[in-house]
Every structure is written in structure tokens, then in C-alpha cells.
Amino acid sequence: MRDAPAGIPSQRRPLARWWSRHWHLFVFLTPAVVVYGMFMAYPLLSSLSYSVYEWDGFLRRGFTGLSNFVTVLTRWPYNERFWGALTHNTWFFVLTFAIQTTLGLFVAVLLAKKWRGFAFFQAAYFLPYTLSLVVVGFLWLMLLNPTWGMIAQGLRGLGLGEWVQPWLGQRATALTTVILVNAWGWLGFPMLVYLAAVQAIPQEFHEAAFVDGATPWQDFRFVTFPLLLPSIAMVTILTFIWNFNAFELVFVMQGASGSPNYATDLLATFFYRTAFGDPTTGGEPGQIGIASAIGVMMLLIIGFVSAFGVRFMQRSQTEY
Amino acid sequence: MVSSPTSRLLTRVIIYGFLFVLAVVFLYPVVLMVLTAFKPTPEIFRSPFGLPESWSLDTFATVWQRAKFGLYLRNSLLITGGSALLLLVTAAPAAYALARYTFKLKPVLFLFFLAGIMIPIRLGILPLYLLMRDLGLLDTPFSLIFTYAASGLPMSVFLLSVFFRNLPRELEDAARIDGCNELQIFYRIMLPLVRPGLATVVIVNVVPWWNDFFFPLLFIQSDTWKTIPLGMQIFFGQHLVNWSLVFSGMVLASLPLLIIYLIMSRQFIAGLTAGAVKG
């Protein structure tokens, strides 16, 4: 803090003096601390404590230690659902990551050339990102309908009728189809971030590389890519966080229990069913303790991976 | 690298071809959605790819009435607007204090906010639900407004503090000499200078709030405060066999953001990427 102006008499009580120098900080900070503390920090912290109690509906009973966690990890059907959902979330992230760091990155590098018409392409790729996942889900539910959907009709029109499958209805294809639908609505975002990052690289770097005889691939591999690493790391962390929270698309397209037969069940849908009851099985009551244990494990996974990712991002940062 | 004019032309053609195919993948489903919305259900099945035989707005009117779309639109506007207002009113002064003053608790507060950036608020849904119930906020717009503003705060405080930090110190000193107190310096001098930052914060947050389905699903039971995504999800579920109604509903639900996006896609994109790159 700044020193008090010389005119203020020093014999004033210290508390009053302290207050007169600091009151504006309270005015500035209190609203944010209250709103954030009450509606975000407090719920997140107390969700940790929810998981070590026994619950009767929304009433808290006795302390049970880690028994809710033991239930989730060892007792059927929770254990089967949990490992299933964890596997599905992992595949969700891996496939999304693979698409956005190959196709997304490649398109961003192309778009950075700023040729005529590229603004249109950029706007087109980003457009689905503005749609609500509810709309994305229902739109593709319709398009992928094996009887009346546009994709089935189109394939039949091309004489490829035998390619038509109930993509969302069979175990082998349902999850991957949902992930690809999600990628359709999401890819515009990583593309744009990568594009902004590519454009932020000074042109002289590329010129220097070409003067040294680099091929376009070498220019990408040794100039563009290393400078993009922080952006790639950041987008990957965000993707991981969102993919391990994914809920809407599966809820809308496959229902709360991830049909067919839990093939598209995710941690968030599993958590939702456990916490608020399963509407598809006739309304089994919610189990707050067990749901909280699932939530805490999601929190730990996300916390660890993103902390690790942030460290990687900081190390890959290059000043220029 | 040696490249003849013909091979360079060929590269260009391939690149444009590739980007065009990709544009079809992203754009055509949306175009198809809009075209289909004008067709009655039998026509959708009979000619799924043709232009609609008539451009009548009847189904849109039906959806508007039967799905209470006007009500949901009002709710979405009020809730998103209220959240944006609460976010700005809380985040801007906090960011200012963290950016331009030094005080003992500053590192602690910084860490307090930083912790929220990486952790999604959804993981606190059970305590949050009970808190809203105990405060009597369930089934009111305030449950959503407080949740959204709180979840947007960490990132917004950081984004805005970057903007505030970049303002020159002399401005502040000049205002102080002119007799402004600390609040006046913030409100009259500094705040107007970070308007681009405020716009970025709003754009970054408004899109996910407007499209959010998770919190309305849990917090809102009665029709009075349903938002567009929740109202539409229920409407689609009830009319799944009536494709005409569902497609019209999807177009109506997407229209507000689509219009804003088409009018100001450049600011939109700049805002979103700035948020991501600086965050």
C-alpha cells in the first residue's frame, strides 16, 4: 500500500487508520469472494465431505469413512458401471484429442495462409459450436435414424443401402458415433484457438527457416509445432476436463442410462442416475453418499490430470 | 524448395478442395436442418434433400405456441443477461483490486480464484442443489444466475486482471491528484478503458450459459422458468415422431445465437479465442 498522506494525524487509532487505507479493497473484493465462495468453492469443498457420510435421501446420517468408495469400486452393479463409464470417458477423450490435434491442427495451419475465401471456411467450421448440445443431439438423432434419417436415405439413394446400420442402437458403434457427433459440434473451438496461435508466430521465423532450406514439413515440425505446444497443451487440458464431464449429448441421444445396455454410459450420467434416481428403471431413489464418492473420484481424476497438464504447459512455454 | 507453377496450382486446388469438403461436413447438416424445418413430416420422408415445396412458417408458429417458446426465450434472455450483469459487477472490481494493489492477502486470494479455473462447478452439484433448496432458490432464475456467475468468476477475474495490469500507472496518479478516491478511479477512469476485456468476458461466458442444459434440468421444475434448451428437450421428447415440429423447434432454438454469430462472427471468434489464449 501507498503511505498515508502527510496530513493525517498519526495519533488516530490504528484500526481506524488501517480501515481508512483498506476499505476500498473490501468494496472491490467482497462481492466476488461472496458469490464465488458461496456458490462454487463451498459446494466443491463440501462435496468431498458428502462422500464420507451415509445418506438417507437428502438427510445425512452417520460417518462411514471410505465405505461409499468401496461400494463404488467393488459392489455390483456400481463397480461394473464405474469401470465401464471410466473406459467410455477415456475413449471419448482419446478420440476427441486425436481428431482435434490432427485434423484441427492441420486445418488451422492451412487457414493461417489467409487465402481468398478462408474467412468463409473459418466461419463455417465454427458455426456448429454455437448450437446447443440439445439441438446437436436431436439433429443427429434424426439424421442418423436408420429408417427415415437423411444419412440412411442418402446411402440408399447412392445404392449403398447395405451400409445403413442402427449406428446409435448397437453396442459396437453407439459410443463412437456419439463421440463423433460431439466432435462435429466442438472441433471449431480448438481449430480457432490453434489458428490464433499459428497467426501469433512472427513471420520472420518461417522466413528464416525457408532461407535455411527447410521444407514446409520441416517448417511445421521445427518452427510452428514447438511454438504451438502451449496452446495444444491448454486446449488438451480443457478438452480433458469437458470430456470427463460430458453429459448432455448422451442424456439427449441415449437417455440417462446410456443405451444400448450402458454402452454409452459416462461418469456424469452414472453420477446423475446414482444421485437423482434412475428414471429409466422406474425411479430408484437417489443415493447421495455413493454419488458423491463417484463425484470425488471424477474430481481427483480431473484435478490430477489438469495439474499435470498445466505443469507441462508451463514448461513448454517459449518467450519470443 | 523448387516448385513449378503447375504443381503450385495443383497444391492450391487440393487445399481448396479439402477445405470445401470439410465445410460441407460442418455446414450441410445445419442447412439441412433449416430446409427440413419448412417441410411437413410426409414431405421430409418423401424428399429428404429437396428444397421445401412451400416456405410456410406455420410449423414455426405451432412450435412457438405449443412449446411456449416465447416464455422460454424470455427466461433464457433474463437468466443469461442477469448472469452476465452479476458476473461483471463482481469480477471487474475484484480483478482491479488483484491487478493494481498490493496487500497481504493477495497471494491467498489469487490462489483461491485460480483453484476454480480448472475444476468444473458441476462436480459440486449435490451440495449446490441442497444449498439452493435451503435458500429457497430452486425453481427460480436466481439459482441459475448465481451458479453461472460463480462458475464464470475465476476465469473472468484472471482475464480482466490482465487487462487492468496493462493500463499505465500515470492515469491513476493523475486521477488521484485531481481528488478522485479509489472507487472513483476504478469506476470513472479504469473501467471504461477495459471495455474490450469486459466484452470478451461476456462473449466467453454467454454462449455456454445460453446453451446450458445441465443446471436447468436439475434446478428448474415448473414451466415458468424453463430455459430454451430444457424446454426444447422436453418438447422434442414428446413429439419425437413429428419430425416437422422437432426440426422447426431446433431452428427456433438455434436462431438467437446463429443470428448474433452471423452478424458479428469476427468479434465472436476474436472474443472466444482471446479468452482461451490468454486464460
Side-chain angles (χ1 to χ4, degrees), chain B:
Chain B
M1 217 185 67
V2 204
S3 59
S4 65
T6 35
S7 88
R8 220 181 304 157
L9 184 72
L10 192 69
T11 320
R12 245 170 207 255
V13 169
I14 292 173
I15 289 178
Y16 269 105
F18 169 73
L19 292 176
F20 180 78
V21 170
L22 210 59
V24 170
V25 172
F26 281 101
L27 220 45
Y28 187 60
V30 181
V31 173
L32 204 56
M33 173 175 88
V34 175
L35 290 180
T36 309
F38 285 94
K39 300 174 185 172
T41 308
E43 192 191 333
I44 298 176
F45 296 158
R46 191 163 19 91
S47 92
F49 301 107
L51 289 178
E53 281 158 21
S54 81
W55 296 90
S56 124
L57 295 173
D58 287 351
T59 31
F60 292 102
T62 314
V63 174
W64 189 282
Q65 284 158 3
R66 257 207 253 169
K68 300 188 198 152
F69 195 84
L71 177 69
Y72 301 152
L73 179 64
R74 185 206 71 173
N75 293 345
S76 279
L77 284 172
L78 278 178
I79 289 167
T80 311
S83 309
L85 198 67
L86 182 61
L87 178 68
L88 290 183
V89 167
T90 52
Y96 179 74
L98 288 175
R100 302 197 69 96
Y101 295 99
T102 40
F103 49 97
K104 250 194 208 134
L105 274 178
K106 184 162 140 170
V108 180
L109 277 174
F110 230 84
L111 216 64
F112 179 57
F113 282 111
L114 186 71
I117 286 191
M118 289 298 169
I119 301 169
I121 194 169
R122 285 180 183 197
L123 293 175
I125 181 64
L126 284 170
L128 192 60
Y129 180 87
L130 292 184
L131 176 70
M132 292 300 177
R133 188 196 63 178
D134 296 343
L135 293 173
L137 295 179
L138 282 185
D139 226 5
T140 72
F142 298 106
S143 58
L144 296 174
I145 290 175
F146 282 123
T147 304
Y148 292 154
S151 69
L153 260 166
M155 182 62 101
S156 307
V157 166
F158 278 93
L159 253 174
L160 287 175
S161 66
V162 172
F163 279 90
F164 278 122
R165 213 170 290 136
N166 290 338
L167 298 176
R169 179 115 252 164
E170 293 77 43
L171 273 173
E172 213 178 305
D173 295 337
R176 210 165 272 129
I177 290 165
D178 287 347
C180 283
N181 69 27
E182 302 300 314
L183 293 198
Q184 289 167 327
I185 294 173
F186 164 69
Y187 183 72
R188 295 226 187 114
I189 315 287
M190 306 307 242
L191 194 59
L193 291 174
V194 296
R195 247 182 261 141
L198 300 177
T200 302
V201 163
V202 169
I203 290 176
V204 172
N205 286 292
V206 155
V207 178
W209 291 344
W210 180 271
N211 286 332
D212 182 47
F213 169 71
F214 185 77
F215 287 106
L217 175 72
L218 293 168
F219 288 166
I220 307 292
Q221 260 87 48
S222 68
D223 242 1
T224 336
W225 287 108
K226 275 182 188 143
T227 59
I228 293 177
L230 180 61
M232 286 297 113
Q233 191 262 340
I234 292 165
F235 178 77
F236 295 160
Q238 286 165 347
H239 298 87
L240 208 50
V241 283
N242 192 336
W243 284 40
S244 179
L245 282 186
V246 173
F247 274 95
S248 307
M250 291 196 290
V251 170
L252 275 184
S254 314
L255 219 47
L257 270 192
L258 272 185
I259 291 174
I260 297 177
Y261 177 63
L262 292 179
I263 294 174
M264 38 184 278
S265 64
R266 187 175 295 184
Q267 291 92 317
F268 219 78
I269 287 173
L272 278 176
T273 46
V277 171
K278 282 189 190 137

Side-chain angles (χ1 to χ4, degrees), chain A residues 30-253:
Chain A
T30 309
V33 170
V34 168
V35 171
Y36 169 72
M38 189 161 167
F39 295 99
M40 185 150 175
Y42 159 75
L44 282 171
L45 286 176
S46 56
S47 73
L48 297 177
S49 79
Y50 276 36
S51 64
V52 291
Y53 284 94
E54 200 178 335
W55 289 77
D56 180 11
F58 280 125
L59 289 176
R60 205 175 74 178
R61 301 281 183 226
F63 179 81
T64 60
L66 295 177
S67 82
N68 288 323
F69 292 88
V70 174
T71 305
V72 174
L73 294 174
T74 60
R75 219 177 74 203
W76 194 86
Y78 299 107
N79 56 354
E80 196 183 314
R81 301 282 170 270
F82 179 76
W83 295 114
L86 190 63
T87 316
H88 299 156
N89 275 105
T90 308
W91 176 229
F92 203 123
F93 168 70
V94 168
L95 188 56
T96 309
F97 169 76
I99 294 172
Q100 72 191 22
T101 15
T102 53
L103 184 66
L105 196 59
F106 181 59
V107 171
V109 172
L110 286 183
L111 285 179
K113 293 180 189 299
K114 284 191 162 173
W115 290 350
R116 191 193 298 255
F118 275 18
F120 163 78
F121 289 128
Q122 186 184 336
Y125 303 152
F126 190 71
L127 187 109
Y129 182 80
T130 64
L131 301 178
S132 154
L133 277 179
V134 172
V135 170
V136 171
F138 274 96
L139 175 61
W140 285 93
L141 207 54
M142 300 308 215
L143 295 177
L144 289 166
N145 182 305
T147 317
W148 296 111
M150 284 70 176
I151 293 174
Q153 299 228 47
L155 284 175
R156 281 194 210 100
L158 295 170
L160 298 169
E162 70 270 28
W163 287 19
V164 176
Q165 287 175 29
W167 293 281
L168 291 167
Q170 51 193 16
R171 287 189 65 90
T173 52
L175 180 65
T176 303
T177 309
V178 171
I179 297 171
L180 292 177
V181 168
N182 181 69
W184 178 79
W186 160 252
L187 201 59
F189 179 77
M191 261 184 205
L192 274 183
V193 176
Y194 292 156
L195 176 60
V198 173
Q199 285 171 339
I201 298 173
Q203 198 54 40
E204 300 87 66
F205 288 18
H206 301 297
E207 281 159 15
F210 287 124
V211 167
D212 289 346
T215 63
W217 165 251
Q218 286 171 327
D219 173 53
F220 172 78
R221 173 67 190 80
F222 298 108
V223 179
T224 311
F225 186 72
L227 293 173
L228 284 185
L229 268 181
S231 300
I232 294 173
M234 193 214 54
V235 170
T236 303
I237 298 167
L238 286 180
T239 308
F240 183 86
I241 294 172
W242 284 328
N243 285 173
F244 268 75
N245 273 289
F247 172 80
E248 281 93 339
L249 213 49
V250 167
F251 184 85
V252 163
M253 298 177 81

